[in-house]
Amino acid sequence: MTWNEVKRFLEIVKITEWWSVEQVFEVMDSADQDKRITVNEFVEYFWDEKVNPKVYDLKKHIEKQVSWQLLLKAMNIFEQVDSDHNGFLEYGEFGTLGAMLGLNDDETEALWHTIDVDGSGQITIVELFEWFKRRLEAKNKPKQKKPKNAAEFSGSAASFYADESVDTRSVATTQP
């Protein structure tokens, strides 16, 4: 994992509220300090009390996060769809996700372009997670009620109705 990938994970599980990315990365990368985190270094930080004495508090905190539950779901789906297990979803593999969601080929292609936000031709776990997160946030967003009449439709309706002008020409057409 790169520094940016570790940073994004720490933001997802809201650890950056207590520790900086630099602090966590330094502890994780302590073995060889190559500016990359191996799976073993990552797991040790979150599960080995010798590496991280706050591991139990950290685990409790992470498990409470809705984002953690969502990340686990995204990882489970990612694992099912990533048939060659290279850590990326290619378009050929993505059809499996489309089928899981009951999408046709056109819908699957549209979804591919929605999730592959960087246009790399590969979808990462972060991109898949972010898509799930956006969907969850949109679903939980309070729906706005539809206006019942014109006055309710526009907050500026009073000024609209107060305008007694009968000139409907635009400013552009009335200028010399």
Side-chain angles (χ1 to χ4, degrees), residues 88-134:
F88 298 98
L89 300 182
E90 287 85 18
Y91 189 77
E93 297 169 316
F94 194 73
T96 303
L97 179 61
M100 291 168 75
L101 297 173
L103 304 178
N104 65 34
D105 290 344
D106 291 339
E107 293 165 331
T108 299
E109 183 176 352
L111 181 60
W112 168 267
H113 293 292
T114 300
I115 297 176
D116 184 23
V117 293
D118 65 0
S120 67
Q122 298 176 319
I123 292 176
T124 66
I125 185 61
V126 172
E127 288 174 314
L128 185 63
F129 168 78
E130 291 294 337
W131 176 74
F132 274 119
K133 183 178 172 195
R134 286 189 307 270

mmCIF file of all heavy atoms in Angstrom, residues 88-134:
data_model
loop_
_atom_site.group_PDB
_atom_site.id
_atom_site.type_symbol
_atom_site.label_atom_id
_atom_site.label_comp_id
_atom_site.label_asym_id
_atom_site.label_seq_id
_atom_site.Cartn_x
_atom_site.Cartn_y
_atom_site.Cartn_z
ATOM 1 N N PHE A 88 -7.176 -5.171 -8.627
ATOM 2 C CA PHE A 88 -7.891 -4.210 -9.459
ATOM 3 C C PHE A 88 -9.021 -4.932 -10.170
ATOM 4 O O PHE A 88 -8.908 -6.120 -10.468
ATOM 5 C CB PHE A 88 -6.980 -3.605 -10.538
ATOM 6 C CG PHE A 88 -5.816 -2.839 -9.983
ATOM 7 C CD1 PHE A 88 -4.574 -3.434 -9.874
ATOM 8 C CD2 PHE A 88 -5.972 -1.525 -9.574
ATOM 9 C CE1 PHE A 88 -3.487 -2.727 -9.364
ATOM 10 C CE2 PHE A 88 -4.900 -0.815 -9.058
ATOM 11 C CZ PHE A 88 -3.665 -1.413 -8.949
ATOM 12 N N LEU A 89 -10.080 -4.207 -10.466
ATOM 13 C CA LEU A 89 -11.128 -4.769 -11.306
ATOM 14 C C LEU A 89 -10.929 -4.227 -12.712
ATOM 15 O O LEU A 89 -10.878 -3.015 -12.914
ATOM 16 C CB LEU A 89 -12.517 -4.370 -10.801
ATOM 17 C CG LEU A 89 -12.891 -4.810 -9.392
ATOM 18 C CD1 LEU A 89 -14.313 -4.385 -9.063
ATOM 19 C CD2 LEU A 89 -12.722 -6.308 -9.211
ATOM 20 N N GLU A 90 -10.790 -5.143 -13.665
ATOM 21 C CA GLU A 90 -10.731 -4.762 -15.060
ATOM 22 C C GLU A 90 -12.151 -4.885 -15.623
ATOM 23 O O GLU A 90 -13.007 -5.526 -15.031
ATOM 24 C CB GLU A 90 -9.770 -5.670 -15.849
ATOM 25 C CG GLU A 90 -8.302 -5.413 -15.554
ATOM 26 C CD GLU A 90 -7.779 -6.151 -14.325
ATOM 27 O OE1 GLU A 90 -8.438 -7.122 -13.896
ATOM 28 O OE2 GLU A 90 -6.740 -5.752 -13.797
ATOM 29 N N TYR A 91 -12.360 -4.282 -16.786
ATOM 30 C CA TYR A 91 -13.709 -4.249 -17.351
ATOM 31 C C TYR A 91 -14.262 -5.656 -17.570
ATOM 32 O O TYR A 91 -15.441 -5.893 -17.335
ATOM 33 C CB TYR A 91 -13.738 -3.442 -18.653
ATOM 34 C CG TYR A 91 -15.151 -3.223 -19.132
ATOM 35 C CD1 TYR A 91 -15.958 -2.275 -18.520
ATOM 36 C CD2 TYR A 91 -15.683 -3.972 -20.170
ATOM 37 C CE1 TYR A 91 -17.264 -2.071 -18.925
ATOM 38 C CE2 TYR A 91 -16.986 -3.778 -20.585
ATOM 39 C CZ TYR A 91 -17.764 -2.831 -19.969
ATOM 40 O OH TYR A 91 -19.064 -2.640 -20.372
ATOM 41 N N GLY A 92 -13.423 -6.589 -17.993
ATOM 42 C CA GLY A 92 -13.874 -7.958 -18.214
ATOM 43 C C GLY A 92 -14.420 -8.609 -16.949
ATOM 44 O O GLY A 92 -15.362 -9.401 -16.990
ATOM 45 N N GLU A 93 -13.846 -8.271 -15.810
ATOM 46 C CA GLU A 93 -14.307 -8.810 -14.528
ATOM 47 C C GLU A 93 -15.550 -8.066 -14.032
ATOM 48 O O GLU A 93 -16.363 -8.618 -13.298
ATOM 49 C CB GLU A 93 -13.219 -8.667 -13.460
ATOM 50 C CG GLU A 93 -11.960 -9.450 -13.750
ATOM 51 C CD GLU A 93 -10.813 -9.074 -12.820
ATOM 52 O OE1 GLU A 93 -10.605 -7.869 -12.572
ATOM 53 O OE2 GLU A 93 -10.133 -9.997 -12.348
ATOM 54 N N PHE A 94 -15.685 -6.820 -14.445
ATOM 55 C CA PHE A 94 -16.731 -5.948 -13.931
ATOM 56 C C PHE A 94 -18.133 -6.424 -14.311
ATOM 57 O O PHE A 94 -19.096 -6.124 -13.614
ATOM 58 C CB PHE A 94 -16.494 -4.520 -14.427
ATOM 59 C CG PHE A 94 -17.300 -3.496 -13.694
ATOM 60 C CD1 PHE A 94 -16.981 -3.131 -12.399
ATOM 61 C CD2 PHE A 94 -18.383 -2.891 -14.306
ATOM 62 C CE1 PHE A 94 -17.721 -2.192 -11.717
ATOM 63 C CE2 PHE A 94 -19.125 -1.945 -13.642
ATOM 64 C CZ PHE A 94 -18.799 -1.588 -12.345
ATOM 65 N N GLY A 95 -18.225 -7.177 -15.373
ATOM 66 C CA GLY A 95 -19.523 -7.734 -15.766
ATOM 67 C C GLY A 95 -20.142 -8.568 -14.656
ATOM 68 O O GLY A 95 -21.366 -8.630 -14.523
ATOM 69 N N THR A 96 -19.292 -9.203 -13.849
ATOM 70 C CA THR A 96 -19.776 -9.992 -12.712
ATOM 71 C C THR A 96 -20.530 -9.102 -11.732
ATOM 72 O O THR A 96 -21.595 -9.476 -11.237
ATOM 73 C CB THR A 96 -18.605 -10.692 -11.991
ATOM 74 O OG1 THR A 96 -17.907 -11.503 -12.941
ATOM 75 C CG2 THR A 96 -19.092 -11.555 -10.846
ATOM 76 N N LEU A 97 -19.993 -7.912 -11.466
ATOM 77 C CA LEU A 97 -20.678 -6.979 -10.570
ATOM 78 C C LEU A 97 -21.990 -6.521 -11.195
ATOM 79 O O LEU A 97 -23.015 -6.453 -10.513
ATOM 80 C CB LEU A 97 -19.799 -5.773 -10.235
ATOM 81 C CG LEU A 97 -20.437 -4.731 -9.309
ATOM 82 C CD1 LEU A 97 -20.796 -5.340 -7.953
ATOM 83 C CD2 LEU A 97 -19.527 -3.540 -9.123
ATOM 84 N N GLY A 98 -21.956 -6.217 -12.478
ATOM 85 C CA GLY A 98 -23.187 -5.832 -13.167
ATOM 86 C C GLY A 98 -24.247 -6.910 -13.048
ATOM 87 O O GLY A 98 -25.418 -6.616 -12.772
ATOM 88 N N ALA A 99 -23.846 -8.167 -13.229
ATOM 89 C CA ALA A 99 -24.789 -9.285 -13.095
ATOM 90 C C ALA A 99 -25.308 -9.398 -11.658
ATOM 91 O O ALA A 99 -26.497 -9.657 -11.440
ATOM 92 C CB ALA A 99 -24.117 -10.595 -13.525
ATOM 93 N N MET A 100 -24.413 -9.187 -10.680
ATOM 94 C CA MET A 100 -24.838 -9.241 -9.273
ATOM 95 C C MET A 100 -25.895 -8.183 -8.983
ATOM 96 O O MET A 100 -26.780 -8.396 -8.152
ATOM 97 C CB MET A 100 -23.634 -9.024 -8.341
ATOM 98 C CG MET A 100 -22.632 -10.160 -8.348
ATOM 99 S SD MET A 100 -21.071 -9.729 -7.522
ATOM 100 C CE MET A 100 -21.544 -9.796 -5.812
ATOM 101 N N LEU A 101 -25.804 -7.057 -9.683
ATOM 102 C CA LEU A 101 -26.743 -5.946 -9.471
ATOM 103 C C LEU A 101 -27.950 -6.016 -10.404
ATOM 104 O O LEU A 101 -28.831 -5.167 -10.346
ATOM 105 C CB LEU A 101 -26.019 -4.610 -9.658
ATOM 106 C CG LEU A 101 -24.883 -4.325 -8.679
ATOM 107 C CD1 LEU A 101 -24.133 -3.058 -9.086
ATOM 108 C CD2 LEU A 101 -25.415 -4.207 -7.262
ATOM 109 N N GLY A 102 -27.974 -7.020 -11.283
ATOM 110 C CA GLY A 102 -29.097 -7.176 -12.213
ATOM 111 C C GLY A 102 -29.094 -6.153 -13.339
ATOM 112 O O GLY A 102 -30.154 -5.783 -13.846
ATOM 113 N N LEU A 103 -27.905 -5.708 -13.749
ATOM 114 C CA LEU A 103 -27.791 -4.689 -14.793
ATOM 115 C C LEU A 103 -27.603 -5.319 -16.164
ATOM 116 O O LEU A 103 -27.004 -6.387 -16.282
ATOM 117 C CB LEU A 103 -26.599 -3.772 -14.511
ATOM 118 C CG LEU A 103 -26.563 -3.054 -13.170
ATOM 119 C CD1 LEU A 103 -25.285 -2.234 -13.039
ATOM 120 C CD2 LEU A 103 -27.787 -2.180 -12.988
ATOM 121 N N ASN A 104 -28.087 -4.636 -17.194
ATOM 122 C CA ASN A 104 -27.807 -5.094 -18.555
ATOM 123 C C ASN A 104 -26.439 -4.549 -18.974
ATOM 124 O O ASN A 104 -25.789 -3.828 -18.212
ATOM 125 C CB ASN A 104 -28.923 -4.672 -19.527
ATOM 126 C CG ASN A 104 -29.037 -3.169 -19.692
ATOM 127 O OD1 ASN A 104 -28.050 -2.433 -19.651
ATOM 128 N ND2 ASN A 104 -30.261 -2.698 -19.908
ATOM 129 N N ASP A 105 -25.999 -4.855 -20.198
ATOM 130 C CA ASP A 105 -24.659 -4.458 -20.646
ATOM 131 C C ASP A 105 -24.479 -2.941 -20.669
ATOM 132 O O ASP A 105 -23.425 -2.428 -20.253
ATOM 133 C CB ASP A 105 -24.358 -5.034 -22.032
ATOM 134 C CG ASP A 105 -24.159 -6.552 -21.998
ATOM 135 O OD1 ASP A 105 -23.948 -7.101 -20.889
ATOM 136 O OD2 ASP A 105 -24.210 -7.176 -23.077
ATOM 137 N N ASP A 106 -25.479 -2.202 -21.146
ATOM 138 C CA ASP A 106 -25.373 -0.740 -21.202
ATOM 139 C C ASP A 106 -25.307 -0.132 -19.806
ATOM 140 O O ASP A 106 -24.526 0.790 -19.549
ATOM 141 C CB ASP A 106 -26.555 -0.134 -21.969
ATOM 142 C CG ASP A 106 -26.507 -0.462 -23.462
ATOM 143 O OD1 ASP A 106 -25.409 -0.785 -23.970
ATOM 144 O OD2 ASP A 106 -27.575 -0.392 -24.110
ATOM 145 N N GLU A 107 -26.113 -0.649 -18.899
ATOM 146 C CA GLU A 107 -26.106 -0.160 -17.516
ATOM 147 C C GLU A 107 -24.777 -0.485 -16.835
ATOM 148 O O GLU A 107 -24.234 0.331 -16.080
ATOM 149 C CB GLU A 107 -27.274 -0.760 -16.733
ATOM 150 C CG GLU A 107 -28.633 -0.290 -17.216
ATOM 151 C CD GLU A 107 -29.775 -1.141 -16.686
ATOM 152 O OE1 GLU A 107 -29.585 -2.350 -16.425
ATOM 153 O OE2 GLU A 107 -30.878 -0.589 -16.539
ATOM 154 N N THR A 108 -24.248 -1.670 -17.123
ATOM 155 C CA THR A 108 -22.956 -2.067 -16.556
ATOM 156 C C THR A 108 -21.853 -1.143 -17.056
ATOM 157 O O THR A 108 -21.005 -0.697 -16.278
ATOM 158 C CB THR A 108 -22.634 -3.538 -16.903
ATOM 159 O OG1 THR A 108 -23.662 -4.374 -16.345
ATOM 160 C CG2 THR A 108 -21.284 -3.963 -16.353
ATOM 161 N N GLU A 109 -21.886 -0.816 -18.341
ATOM 162 C CA GLU A 109 -20.874 0.090 -18.885
ATOM 163 C C GLU A 109 -20.994 1.485 -18.262
ATOM 164 O O GLU A 109 -19.980 2.104 -17.908
ATOM 165 C CB GLU A 109 -20.997 0.197 -20.405
ATOM 166 C CG GLU A 109 -19.918 1.078 -21.005
ATOM 167 C CD GLU A 109 -19.957 1.136 -22.530
ATOM 168 O OE1 GLU A 109 -20.719 0.390 -23.152
ATOM 169 O OE2 GLU A 109 -19.195 1.961 -23.068
ATOM 170 N N ALA A 110 -22.212 1.973 -18.097
ATOM 171 C CA ALA A 110 -22.411 3.287 -17.477
ATOM 172 C C ALA A 110 -21.905 3.277 -16.034
ATOM 173 O O ALA A 110 -21.260 4.233 -15.582
ATOM 174 C CB ALA A 110 -23.890 3.674 -17.529
ATOM 175 N N LEU A 111 -22.176 2.189 -15.320
ATOM 176 C CA LEU A 111 -21.705 2.075 -13.942
ATOM 177 C C LEU A 111 -20.178 2.026 -13.901
ATOM 178 O O LEU A 111 -19.559 2.646 -13.031
ATOM 179 C CB LEU A 111 -22.298 0.840 -13.261
ATOM 180 C CG LEU A 111 -21.909 0.628 -11.808
ATOM 181 C CD1 LEU A 111 -22.349 1.812 -10.952
ATOM 182 C CD2 LEU A 111 -22.523 -0.672 -11.277
ATOM 183 N N TRP A 112 -19.564 1.324 -14.831
ATOM 184 C CA TRP A 112 -18.105 1.257 -14.907
ATOM 185 C C TRP A 112 -17.511 2.665 -14.972
ATOM 186 O O TRP A 112 -16.610 3.007 -14.225
ATOM 187 C CB TRP A 112 -17.681 0.447 -16.136
ATOM 188 C CG TRP A 112 -16.214 0.560 -16.446
ATOM 189 C CD1 TRP A 112 -15.625 1.443 -17.304
ATOM 190 C CD2 TRP A 112 -15.154 -0.198 -15.870
ATOM 191 N NE1 TRP A 112 -14.264 1.267 -17.307
ATOM 192 C CE2 TRP A 112 -13.944 0.266 -16.433
ATOM 193 C CE3 TRP A 112 -15.116 -1.234 -14.943
ATOM 194 C CZ2 TRP A 112 -12.713 -0.267 -16.101
ATOM 195 C CZ3 TRP A 112 -13.875 -1.769 -14.609
ATOM 196 C CH2 TRP A 112 -12.694 -1.288 -15.183
ATOM 197 N N HIS A 113 -18.059 3.493 -15.858
ATOM 198 C CA HIS A 113 -17.536 4.851 -16.026
ATOM 199 C C HIS A 113 -17.823 5.725 -14.806
ATOM 200 O O HIS A 113 -17.061 6.646 -14.514
ATOM 201 C CB HIS A 113 -18.083 5.486 -17.305
ATOM 202 C CG HIS A 113 -17.588 4.808 -18.549
ATOM 203 N ND1 HIS A 113 -16.269 4.858 -18.957
ATOM 204 C CD2 HIS A 113 -18.224 4.027 -19.453
ATOM 205 C CE1 HIS A 113 -16.117 4.159 -20.064
ATOM 206 N NE2 HIS A 113 -17.289 3.640 -20.386
ATOM 207 N N THR A 114 -18.881 5.419 -14.090
ATOM 208 C CA THR A 114 -19.204 6.151 -12.862
ATOM 209 C C THR A 114 -18.213 5.815 -11.753
ATOM 210 O O THR A 114 -17.752 6.700 -11.034
ATOM 211 C CB THR A 114 -20.635 5.804 -12.387
ATOM 212 O OG1 THR A 114 -21.554 6.177 -13.409
ATOM 213 C CG2 THR A 114 -20.982 6.512 -11.095
ATOM 214 N N ILE A 115 -17.864 4.547 -11.618
ATOM 215 C CA ILE A 115 -16.991 4.109 -10.523
ATOM 216 C C ILE A 115 -15.521 4.377 -10.833
ATOM 217 O O ILE A 115 -14.758 4.768 -9.948
ATOM 218 C CB ILE A 115 -17.228 2.620 -10.190
ATOM 219 C CG1 ILE A 115 -18.662 2.412 -9.696
ATOM 220 C CG2 ILE A 115 -16.238 2.135 -9.140
ATOM 221 C CD1 ILE A 115 -19.040 0.965 -9.440
ATOM 222 N N ASP A 116 -15.105 4.197 -12.074
ATOM 223 C CA ASP A 116 -13.703 4.418 -12.465
ATOM 224 C C ASP A 116 -13.462 5.920 -12.615
ATOM 225 O O ASP A 116 -13.255 6.437 -13.709
ATOM 226 C CB ASP A 116 -13.383 3.680 -13.767
ATOM 227 C CG ASP A 116 -11.924 3.795 -14.176
ATOM 228 O OD1 ASP A 116 -11.072 4.051 -13.304
ATOM 229 O OD2 ASP A 116 -11.647 3.642 -15.382
ATOM 230 N N VAL A 117 -13.460 6.615 -11.482
ATOM 231 C CA VAL A 117 -13.419 8.078 -11.492
ATOM 232 C C VAL A 117 -12.119 8.650 -12.067
ATOM 233 O O VAL A 117 -12.124 9.743 -12.615
ATOM 234 C CB VAL A 117 -13.681 8.679 -10.083
ATOM 235 C CG1 VAL A 117 -15.090 8.406 -9.638
ATOM 236 C CG2 VAL A 117 -12.687 8.162 -9.070
ATOM 237 N N ASP A 118 -11.026 7.924 -11.957
ATOM 238 C CA ASP A 118 -9.770 8.446 -12.489
ATOM 239 C C ASP A 118 -9.541 8.050 -13.947
ATOM 240 O O ASP A 118 -8.561 8.451 -14.554
ATOM 241 C CB ASP A 118 -8.578 8.035 -11.621
ATOM 242 C CG ASP A 118 -8.320 6.528 -11.599
ATOM 243 O OD1 ASP A 118 -9.065 5.764 -12.256
ATOM 244 O OD2 ASP A 118 -7.375 6.116 -10.905
ATOM 245 N N GLY A 119 -10.467 7.258 -14.501
ATOM 246 C CA GLY A 119 -10.366 6.868 -15.905
ATOM 247 C C GLY A 119 -9.189 5.979 -16.228
ATOM 248 O O GLY A 119 -8.745 5.905 -17.370
ATOM 249 N N SER A 120 -8.687 5.260 -15.235
ATOM 250 C CA SER A 120 -7.489 4.430 -15.422
ATOM 251 C C SER A 120 -7.755 3.123 -16.164
ATOM 252 O O SER A 120 -6.826 2.451 -16.577
ATOM 253 C CB SER A 120 -6.878 4.102 -14.053
ATOM 254 O OG SER A 120 -7.756 3.260 -13.320
ATOM 255 N N GLY A 121 -9.027 2.761 -16.296
ATOM 256 C CA GLY A 121 -9.342 1.465 -16.904
ATOM 257 C C GLY A 121 -9.300 0.336 -15.896
ATOM 258 O O GLY A 121 -9.452 -0.827 -16.254
ATOM 259 N N GLN A 122 -9.090 0.679 -14.635
ATOM 260 C CA GLN A 122 -9.112 -0.283 -13.536
ATOM 261 C C GLN A 122 -9.856 0.350 -12.368
ATOM 262 O O GLN A 122 -9.733 1.556 -12.135
ATOM 263 C CB GLN A 122 -7.702 -0.634 -13.074
ATOM 264 C CG GLN A 122 -6.844 -1.290 -14.120
ATOM 265 C CD GLN A 122 -5.434 -1.524 -13.605
ATOM 266 O OE1 GLN A 122 -4.858 -0.689 -12.930
ATOM 267 N NE2 GLN A 122 -4.874 -2.683 -13.938
ATOM 268 N N ILE A 123 -10.580 -0.463 -11.646
ATOM 269 C CA ILE A 123 -11.278 0.030 -10.458
ATOM 270 C C ILE A 123 -10.578 -0.526 -9.229
ATOM 271 O O ILE A 123 -10.348 -1.734 -9.126
ATOM 272 C CB ILE A 123 -12.765 -0.364 -10.489
ATOM 273 C CG1 ILE A 123 -13.462 0.396 -11.616
ATOM 274 C CG2 ILE A 123 -13.434 -0.089 -9.151
ATOM 275 C CD1 ILE A 123 -14.902 0.046 -11.816
ATOM 276 N N THR A 124 -10.231 0.381 -8.314
ATOM 277 C CA THR A 124 -9.581 -0.017 -7.067
ATOM 278 C C THR A 124 -10.639 -0.226 -5.990
ATOM 279 O O THR A 124 -11.784 0.191 -6.139
ATOM 280 C CB THR A 124 -8.604 1.074 -6.587
ATOM 281 O OG1 THR A 124 -9.366 2.243 -6.247
ATOM 282 C CG2 THR A 124 -7.560 1.401 -7.642
ATOM 283 N N ILE A 125 -10.230 -0.819 -4.890
ATOM 284 C CA ILE A 125 -11.140 -1.002 -3.766
ATOM 285 C C ILE A 125 -11.600 0.353 -3.246
ATOM 286 O O ILE A 125 -12.744 0.516 -2.823
ATOM 287 C CB ILE A 125 -10.513 -1.875 -2.648
ATOM 288 C CG1 ILE A 125 -11.530 -2.148 -1.526
ATOM 289 C CG2 ILE A 125 -9.272 -1.232 -2.079
ATOM 290 C CD1 ILE A 125 -12.773 -2.888 -1.930
ATOM 291 N N VAL A 126 -10.733 1.347 -3.297
ATOM 292 C CA VAL A 126 -11.107 2.690 -2.828
ATOM 293 C C VAL A 126 -12.201 3.268 -3.714
ATOM 294 O O VAL A 126 -13.183 3.833 -3.219
ATOM 295 C CB VAL A 126 -9.875 3.622 -2.774
ATOM 296 C CG1 VAL A 126 -10.282 5.052 -2.476
ATOM 297 C CG2 VAL A 126 -8.877 3.118 -1.736
ATOM 298 N N GLU A 127 -12.077 3.123 -5.033
ATOM 299 C CA GLU A 127 -13.114 3.631 -5.936
ATOM 300 C C GLU A 127 -14.439 2.915 -5.703
ATOM 301 O O GLU A 127 -15.496 3.557 -5.683
ATOM 302 C CB GLU A 127 -12.684 3.473 -7.396
ATOM 303 C CG GLU A 127 -11.594 4.441 -7.813
ATOM 304 C CD GLU A 127 -11.064 4.181 -9.215
ATOM 305 O OE1 GLU A 127 -10.796 2.998 -9.560
ATOM 306 O OE2 GLU A 127 -10.913 5.170 -9.957
ATOM 307 N N LEU A 128 -14.381 1.594 -5.501
ATOM 308 C CA LEU A 128 -15.619 0.847 -5.240
ATOM 309 C C LEU A 128 -16.233 1.277 -3.912
ATOM 310 O O LEU A 128 -17.435 1.515 -3.824
ATOM 311 C CB LEU A 128 -15.350 -0.665 -5.243
ATOM 312 C CG LEU A 128 -16.590 -1.549 -5.101
ATOM 313 C CD1 LEU A 128 -17.545 -1.367 -6.274
ATOM 314 C CD2 LEU A 128 -16.180 -3.020 -4.969
ATOM 315 N N PHE A 129 -15.407 1.425 -2.900
ATOM 316 C CA PHE A 129 -15.900 1.876 -1.592
ATOM 317 C C PHE A 129 -16.534 3.257 -1.708
ATOM 318 O O PHE A 129 -17.617 3.503 -1.167
ATOM 319 C CB PHE A 129 -14.770 1.907 -0.560
ATOM 320 C CG PHE A 129 -15.155 2.638 0.695
ATOM 321 C CD1 PHE A 129 -15.948 2.035 1.647
ATOM 322 C CD2 PHE A 129 -14.748 3.950 0.897
ATOM 323 C CE1 PHE A 129 -16.335 2.719 2.796
ATOM 324 C CE2 PHE A 129 -15.118 4.638 2.033
ATOM 325 C CZ PHE A 129 -15.915 4.025 2.984
ATOM 326 N N GLU A 130 -15.854 4.175 -2.380
ATOM 327 C CA GLU A 130 -16.373 5.536 -2.519
ATOM 328 C C GLU A 130 -17.720 5.540 -3.229
ATOM 329 O O GLU A 130 -18.616 6.312 -2.884
ATOM 330 C CB GLU A 130 -15.375 6.435 -3.259
ATOM 331 C CG GLU A 130 -14.116 6.727 -2.475
ATOM 332 C CD GLU A 130 -14.352 7.568 -1.230
ATOM 333 O OE1 GLU A 130 -15.353 8.280 -1.147
ATOM 334 O OE2 GLU A 130 -13.501 7.502 -0.324
ATOM 335 N N TRP A 131 -17.882 4.676 -4.233
ATOM 336 C CA TRP A 131 -19.168 4.577 -4.926
ATOM 337 C C TRP A 131 -20.248 4.084 -3.970
ATOM 338 O O TRP A 131 -21.331 4.649 -3.914
ATOM 339 C CB TRP A 131 -19.048 3.651 -6.137
ATOM 340 C CG TRP A 131 -20.360 3.436 -6.826
ATOM 341 C CD1 TRP A 131 -21.022 4.330 -7.621
ATOM 342 C CD2 TRP A 131 -21.175 2.258 -6.773
ATOM 343 N NE1 TRP A 131 -22.201 3.779 -8.059
ATOM 344 C CE2 TRP A 131 -22.313 2.502 -7.557
ATOM 345 C CE3 TRP A 131 -21.038 1.033 -6.141
ATOM 346 C CZ2 TRP A 131 -23.322 1.559 -7.723
ATOM 347 C CZ3 TRP A 131 -22.039 0.096 -6.304
ATOM 348 C CH2 TRP A 131 -23.175 0.357 -7.090
ATOM 349 N N PHE A 132 -19.948 3.039 -3.200
ATOM 350 C CA PHE A 132 -20.912 2.545 -2.208
ATOM 351 C C PHE A 132 -21.275 3.647 -1.214
ATOM 352 O O PHE A 132 -22.429 3.840 -0.868
ATOM 353 C CB PHE A 132 -20.349 1.349 -1.429
ATOM 354 C CG PHE A 132 -20.563 0.032 -2.102
ATOM 355 C CD1 PHE A 132 -19.477 -0.740 -2.482
ATOM 356 C CD2 PHE A 132 -21.832 -0.466 -2.345
ATOM 357 C CE1 PHE A 132 -19.655 -1.969 -3.097
ATOM 358 C CE2 PHE A 132 -22.024 -1.683 -2.956
ATOM 359 C CZ PHE A 132 -20.931 -2.441 -3.338
ATOM 360 N N LYS A 133 -20.266 4.368 -0.765
ATOM 361 C CA LYS A 133 -20.480 5.434 0.210
ATOM 362 C C LYS A 133 -21.386 6.525 -0.352
ATOM 363 O O LYS A 133 -22.305 6.989 0.317
ATOM 364 C CB LYS A 133 -19.129 6.018 0.636
ATOM 365 C CG LYS A 133 -19.230 7.070 1.701
ATOM 366 C CD LYS A 133 -17.857 7.565 2.103
ATOM 367 C CE LYS A 133 -17.966 8.743 3.016
ATOM 368 N NZ LYS A 133 -16.731 9.464 3.159
ATOM 369 N N ARG A 134 -21.128 6.941 -1.601
ATOM 370 C CA ARG A 134 -21.974 7.964 -2.234
ATOM 371 C C ARG A 134 -23.420 7.488 -2.343
ATOM 372 O O ARG A 134 -24.352 8.251 -2.116
ATOM 373 C CB ARG A 134 -21.444 8.333 -3.622
ATOM 374 C CG ARG A 134 -20.194 9.186 -3.598
ATOM 375 C CD ARG A 134 -19.835 9.712 -4.986
ATOM 376 N NE ARG A 134 -19.737 8.713 -6.024
ATOM 377 C CZ ARG A 134 -18.630 8.056 -6.358
ATOM 378 N NH1 ARG A 134 -17.505 8.279 -5.705
ATOM 379 N NH2 ARG A 134 -18.636 7.179 -7.336
#
